[in-house]
Amino acid sequence: YQIIWTGEIRFAFDSYAIDQVASKTLDEAGDKLEANPGSIIEVAGHTDRTGSEDYNYMLGQERASSAKRYLAERFGIAMYRMFTISYGEDKPVALPDEQKAASKNRRVMLTIWGPPQ
């Protein structure tokens, strides 16, 4: 398997709700999963540094689960094709001294893996 598509969705502070911008990215992921029936998707939840470590792992998992639920409900993607993980605050893409670092770190990373095309 190799990576055939990647995407990112962002979240508001302390939220795991899918907004209109996130739904467009998830729709793109769903289309790619439908076009590649042998593919699987990794859905990785992330948070900013606000809150306790335990809470951030839980929030990261809720974010990943909401994306997974969206794909299952809207596209009928089978659960066995979707894998979720939460990294909490452990893998930031923006350092604290960067502008808008917290909002950049509140995200779900989507990676679709499929057979070589």
Side-chain angles (χ1 to χ4, degrees), residues 6-110:
T6 61
E8 174 182 306
I9 57 176
R10 299 238 177 118
F11 293 86
F13 177 75
D14 201 29
S15 172
Y16 53 89
I18 302 295
D19 65 14
Q20 199 169 28
V21 174
S23 67
K24 288 181 182 178
T25 301
L26 288 168
D27 288 346
E28 191 177 332
D31 289 342
K32 189 61 104 167
L33 286 162
E34 284 184 331
N36 296 278
S39 63
I40 58 173
I41 186 168
E42 175 187 336
V43 185
H46 299 268
T47 67
D48 61 28
R49 296 170 29 146
T50 307
S52 71
E53 185 175 343
D54 287 343
Y55 181 78
N56 285 337
Y57 278 117
M58 184 276 307
L59 181 57
Q61 186 61 47
E62 288 292 342
R63 288 175 175 168
S65 294
S66 67
K68 180 179 179 178
R69 195 167 33 257
Y70 182 96
L71 291 169
E73 291 172 2
R74 179 146 166 83
F75 291 90
I77 304 300
M79 293 296 189
Y80 70 85
R81 294 179 60 197
M82 298 184 283
F83 299 88
T84 61
I85 187 166
S86 174
Y87 291 107
E89 63 189 69
D90 292 344
K91 294 189 173 194
V93 290
L95 300 176
D97 60 344
E98 289 182 46
Q99 195 171 31
K100 298 185 180 181
S103 66
K104 291 177 184 175
N105 290 326
R106 294 190 296 261
R107 70 199 192 283
V108 161
M109 300 300 300
L110 306 160

